[in-house]
Amino acid sequence: MPDLPTEHLFTPEGWAKLAAVDSVDAAVARWRMSGLPNLHSHAFQRAMAGLAERQSHPEDSFWTWRELMYRFAGRVTPDTQYAIARQLYAEMLESGFTTVCEFHYLHHQPDGRPYDDPAAMSKALIAAARDTGIRLTLLPVLYMTGGFDGRPLSERQRRFGHTLDGFLALLQSLRALEHDTLKVGVALHSLRAVPEAAMHELLAAIAGTPMPVHIHIAEQIGEVQDCQALRGARPVEWLLANAPVDAHWTLVHATHLETAEVQGIAASGATVAICPTTEANLGDGLFPLRDFLAAGGHWGIGSDSHVSVSPVEELRWLEYGQRLVTRRRNIAVSADQPSTGELLYTQALAGGLRACGQPAAAQDWIVLDPGAPALAGATPADLLDRFVFGGNRGLVHEVHVAGQTVVAQARHRDHDDIARRYGEAMKDLLAD
């Protein structure tokens, strides 16, 4: 009688062998590990992926892309928000993300007036997460000004904006909805969008109530220059000197850093959310990963604008960007961990769990495809390297979140209905 296959479980201590499991093919091993958290998402932007790849200006940049994003955002309703997010969250689950931090700033009607229910857009995201089965850390965004100089929000930004009192009321209403797979935190859109006084008032209002705090920061050179000109310091430098940044904080992008800022983030205990595919798509720049690893910094990954929805691609391009700059190989390693794939996965998992504020997410599992050619003959020593660098065929076979099977045979349980609803929403969004 042939031996039954071994099930391997990845733990913080490495791979552990579980009892043999029944299988049609007794020669095939099973590989089970935690799903990764996605630390930065703007769900509605999934619907515009691929629609901003025609040159609109001789010097196309993040800032010209942003104009298209504003126009697109102006057409999204609670119903289309739900359909887009449901499609996106199903794609995340199928790729191996099991938790998402939703950095949500699309609050009001296009003219800036609140919906009859001021939380309508937030509740569309909550419903999409509930119906797909992904864990959600919802981060309503405080967005008050159009620049460091305090200029008012533009017409297209009005649906993002809140007074501080209005924002705190929204936050209170959303926190009342929390449950086992829904955590509510808070986000500051950026230093340019939140005046210093308002930042301090918000942080004072939530003091003593531990919750995730996320902020876009130092994504673009123009932002760094404006902050230096008007606040006398670089964005990360200023934030570390003027806010109680600690392990509850996540700095999104933090692309343009000097050595003291790298050291300062690491010393604060904050997590950096790195979004390699979006940062590449928008021409942002490269995060100084090697220096941050050497400083002992915490980090995770996000898919941000969702030009790609794949933890593997985010991890792979995080490493590849460093290789292109240094013209060396295997950058994300350490003296104790020579495996690039294993270090990327383990650190993205650990940093991600810190940033999403959902410890139970560590109990959500993915199972890799036991018949995938990319895993033929895999061993514990090379499995995670194969997972990250072994090609573009999806390797996630099953996904289990909070005791529920949400993906089987590599397909979300509601795949067809979700795709149909998404197609209908796209017709509405793109109609003349």
Side-chain angles (χ1 to χ4, degrees):
M1 180 176 177
D3 292 335
L4 290 174
T6 299
E7 179 161 32
H8 299 268
L9 169 66
F10 193 83
T11 73
E13 290 74 40
W15 287 104
K17 289 184 179 181
L18 303 181
V21 296
D22 292 329
S23 171
V24 174
D25 184 350
V28 176
R30 283 170 54 91
W31 304 93
R32 180 157 63 97
M33 55 197 197
S34 293
L36 287 172
N38 187 326
L39 296 194
H40 194 60
S41 168
H42 305 299
F44 77 92
Q45 292 179 19
R46 178 68 185 96
M48 59 178 284
L51 298 180
E53 308 306 321
R54 300 174 72 88
Q55 190 179 66
S56 61
H57 186 277
E59 295 185 4
D60 249 344
S61 68
F62 166 86
W63 306 103
T64 54
W65 170 88
R66 190 175 71 158
E67 291 303 308
L68 174 64
M69 183 272 289
Y70 286 162
R71 293 197 298 273
F72 193 87
R75 307 197 72 172
V76 178
T77 67
D79 286 344
T80 51
Q81 172 98 308
Y82 170 79
I84 296 166
R86 192 167 168 240
Q87 175 69 34
L88 170 66
Y89 295 162
E91 291 176 3
M92 286 186 186
L93 288 162
E94 289 176 346
S95 72
F97 286 122
T98 49
T99 303
V100 57
C101 295
E102 187 63 45
F103 199 101
H104 168 54
Y105 57 83
L106 202 58
H107 297 297
H108 308 305
Q109 298 181 65
D111 62 3
R113 289 181 300 122
Y115 288 97
D116 291 340
D117 178 355
M121 294 293 274
S122 298
K123 289 178 178 177
L125 295 166
I126 292 171
R130 177 199 64 215
D131 293 347
T132 54
I134 199 167
R135 286 187 190 274
L136 174 65
T137 297
L138 181 63
L139 303 164
V141 172
L142 179 60
Y143 200 132
M144 302 180 74
T145 57
F148 283 101
D149 57 5
R151 74 190 72 163
L153 298 178
S154 70
E155 182 178 349
R156 284 180 294 200
Q157 293 171 322
R158 287 176 187 166
R159 72 180 310 188
F160 312 155
H162 275 104
T163 64
L164 184 58
D165 286 345
F167 180 77
L168 289 172
L170 173 67
L171 184 62
Q172 182 178 14
S173 71
L174 293 175
R175 294 198 68 218
L177 303 177
E178 286 186 325
H179 53 73
D180 288 348
T181 59
L182 171 64
K183 174 74 174 179
V184 176
V186 67
L188 308 167
H189 179 270
S190 55
L191 293 182
R192 69 177 183 272
V194 180
E196 180 178 359
M199 180 189 78
H200 290 309
E201 287 184 55
L202 171 61
L203 296 177
I206 65 173
T209 308
M211 65 173 67
V213 179
H214 289 222
I215 183 172
H216 287 138
I217 199 158
E219 180 180 4
Q220 288 285 323
I221 291 292
E223 175 193 349
V224 175
Q225 293 170 337
D226 288 348
C227 191
Q228 287 178 303
L230 292 168
R231 295 200 181 178
R234 297 167 59 85
V236 169
E237 176 189 15
W238 187 93
L239 184 70
L240 293 174
N242 290 278
V245 178
D246 60 15
H248 294 103
W249 284 66
T250 295
L251 311 190
V252 181
H253 303 303
T255 305
H256 301 286
L257 302 177
E258 292 188 341
T259 299
E261 293 172 305
V262 170
Q263 298 287 338
I265 296 172
S268 75
T271 302
V272 174
I274 311 171
C275 309
T277 61
T278 290
E279 289 154 5
N281 183 268
L282 297 179
D284 289 345
L286 288 172
F287 179 77
L289 180 66
R290 182 65 259 165
D291 291 344
F292 195 62
L293 293 177
H298 302 280
W299 61 275
I301 52 170
S303 57
D304 194 353
S305 69
H306 316 300
V307 289
S308 173
V309 184
S310 165
V312 165
E313 190 166 13
E314 300 299 339
L315 294 175
R316 184 184 301 165
W317 279 103
L318 178 58
E319 168 71 15
Y320 282 173
Q322 308 301 311
R323 294 186 186 189
L324 288 168
V325 169
T326 62
R327 298 186 297 280
R328 292 172 45 216
R329 300 189 69 251
N330 295 316
I331 306 302
V333 294
S334 68
D336 297 328
Q337 182 49 269
S339 162
T340 305
E342 189 160 329
L343 185 143
L344 288 169
Y345 168 81
T346 55
Q347 293 208 4
L349 176 61
L353 292 175
R354 288 165 58 89
C356 69
Q358 295 209 33
Q363 305 303 316
D364 301 334
W365 303 105
I366 65 174
V367 178
L368 302 187
D369 180 359
L375 301 183
T379 68
D382 61 30
L383 189 282
L384 286 169
D385 290 324
R386 291 179 185 233
F387 176 62
V388 176
F389 297 103
N392 291 322
R393 174 183 168 181
L395 297 178
V396 176
H397 193 59
E398 301 172 14
V399 179
H400 308 269
V401 178
Q404 300 295 313
T405 300
V406 293
V407 172
Q409 302 293 318
R411 282 172 65 91
H412 189 273
R413 62 192 181 193
D414 296 322
H415 182 280
D416 292 341
D417 180 65
I418 289 170
R420 179 185 59 79
R421 288 280 300 272
Y422 177 71
E424 293 170 354
M426 285 300 291
K427 288 179 182 178
D428 292 340
L429 285 167
L430 299 177
D432 293 333

